[in-house]
Amino acid sequence: MAKRFQRLEQIRRMDPVADASEIYRLCAAYEFPWDMTRSLELALYRTYAVPSIGRLLAETAELTERTQKRYDDTSLLLDAVVEHGFASEQGREAIRRINRMHRSYDISNDDMRYVLCTFVVMPKRWIDAYGWRRLSRHEVVASTVHYRTLGRHMGIKDIPESYEEFEAHLDAYEEAHFGWDERSRAVSDATLALMASWYPRALAPLLRTSTLALLDEPLLRAFRYEPPSALTRAFVRRAVRARGRAVRLMPPRRSPHFARQNWEIKNYPDGYRIADLGTWPVPGLRGCPVRHTGGPASESAR
C-alpha cells in the first residue's frame, strides 16, 4: 500500500509555488486523470448557468450544433499547457489560440474570472468527494498557482490570490448570477446529450438521470431540471465513491494519461495541430466561442 502513496510523497517534497505546474501535471496525469476530466467537464458545464455566458454560447451554436468538436478543442487546448508547460512551444501556441478566440469578443472580465474560478475549485470539490484520496494542501496550492498563471497569460484582471479566495468568489458569483435562461438550457441539454452519445443509445435516459444526480441544487434550479429522487442521488454518488475506493486498491499509474488520450475525444483520429484548434471569428458576431466557418486545414501532430 505504501507504493500507492509514493507519488504523493514526491509531491510533498516539491515546492508548491515554484513547482506548481509540475505538481499539477503529476496530479492530473498520474494521480487523478479520470477525476480531473470529470471535474473539469463539470466546471465548464456549470458556467452555462450564468445567463451572460450561456446566451453567448447559444448564439454561436458551437455547443448546440458542434458540441463534440467544441468539447474536444477545449480539452486539448487546456491540456496542452498541462502536458508541455507554459514555456513550451505547444503551451505558448495553445494560449495564443485561447486568447485569439477571446480577444475580439465582448466577454466581461467578471465572467472570465468566474470561469477561471471553476477550474480551481471544482476539481478539489470533486476529488475530495469521489477521488481515491483527498487532495493534499501542496496540490491545492499548486493548482491555484497554475491557474493564476494561466489567468495572467489570458489577461484576466483581479485574480484571487489563494484557493480560499477562489472558492469564496465562485460561490458569491454563482449566488448573484445563476439564473434561468432558455438559451442556456439549450446549451445544457446539448451537453448532456453529448455525454450520453459516448455510450450505447439505450443507456441515454439512465446516463442523463445519473448526471443530474451529481449536480447540486443551485445548478438544477438554474436550468429548471426536475431533481432526481433522493434515493437515485444517493445511489449514483455512492457508486462514484465506490469507484474511487476501488482505484485506491490499484497500483499507482506508471505512465501519464493526458486529455488527448481520452476516448471521449472523437474528432482527431489522425492527429491535430494546436494552431488549428478552436473557433474562428465571424464578422458581426459578438461572444465566444464563435461560429467556425473556416481556418487552417488540420494537419497531423501526433
Side-chain angles (χ1 to χ4, degrees), residues 43-177:
L44 287 168
Y45 174 82
R46 73 186 299 111
T47 68
Y48 311 159
V50 176
S52 58
I53 296 174
R55 282 195 300 266
L56 292 177
L57 295 169
E59 286 171 3
T60 64
E62 284 295 326
L63 277 168
T64 52
E65 295 180 11
R66 289 168 289 280
T67 319
Q68 181 69 62
K69 185 180 188 303
R70 175 61 176 170
Y71 173 91
D72 292 356
D73 290 5
T74 300
S75 299
L76 295 171
L77 286 169
L78 289 173
D79 210 55
V81 180
V82 177
E83 180 173 0
H84 302 290
F86 288 102
S88 68
E89 179 182 350
Q90 298 95 324
R92 291 196 304 269
E93 184 60 51
I95 291 169
R96 280 196 294 269
R97 281 298 304 127
I98 292 170
N99 286 339
R100 286 170 184 167
M101 286 189 289
H102 290 85
R103 190 174 292 129
S104 300
Y105 298 92
D106 192 13
I107 309 169
S108 72
N109 186 75
D110 286 350
D111 280 351
M112 293 279 284
R113 184 176 52 206
Y114 164 65
V115 174
L116 190 69
C117 287
T118 69
F119 296 161
V120 174
V121 176
M122 298 317 299
K124 181 182 185 303
R125 289 182 175 176
W126 175 279
I127 290 170
D128 285 356
Y130 303 117
W132 65 270
R133 64 169 174 83
R134 295 170 67 90
L135 285 181
S136 69
R137 184 63 185 175
H138 262 54
E139 290 164 319
V140 172
V141 172
S143 171
T144 302
V145 173
H146 174 83
Y147 280 109
R148 276 181 51 79
T149 303
L150 178 62
R152 289 196 299 271
H153 280 292
M154 294 175 63
I156 299 175
K157 300 175 183 177
D158 302 320
I159 300 172
E161 293 283 342
S162 66
Y163 171 81
E164 289 74 20
E165 290 180 14
F166 271 99
E167 186 173 45
H169 187 83
L170 178 138
D171 289 338
Y173 202 77
E174 291 184 348
E175 184 176 0
H177 294 281

Side-chain angles (χ1 to χ4, degrees), residues 215-229:
L215 303 184
D216 54 73
E217 292 291 346
L219 204 50
L220 291 168
R221 285 198 304 269
F223 291 129
R224 295 186 181 175
Y225 287 129
E226 183 70 26
S229 69

Side-chain angles (χ1 to χ4, degrees), residues 233-289:
R233 296 178 75 175
F235 176 81
V236 171
R237 295 180 184 203
R238 286 173 184 168
V240 182
R241 289 190 188 102
R243 178 209 165 268
R245 289 193 292 271
V247 171
R248 185 185 180 97
L249 300 176
M250 297 177 182
R253 180 177 291 277
R254 294 178 180 232
S255 58
H257 182 94
F258 295 104
R260 59 180 171 77
Q261 297 167 290
N262 289 347
W263 69 275
E264 297 96 341
I265 302 292
K266 304 292 187 183
N267 272 283
Y268 305 104
D270 300 318
Y272 57 90
R273 290 197 321 140
I274 293 174
D276 295 344
L277 298 175
T279 56
W280 304 89
V282 176
L285 182 62
R286 307 298 290 174
C288 182

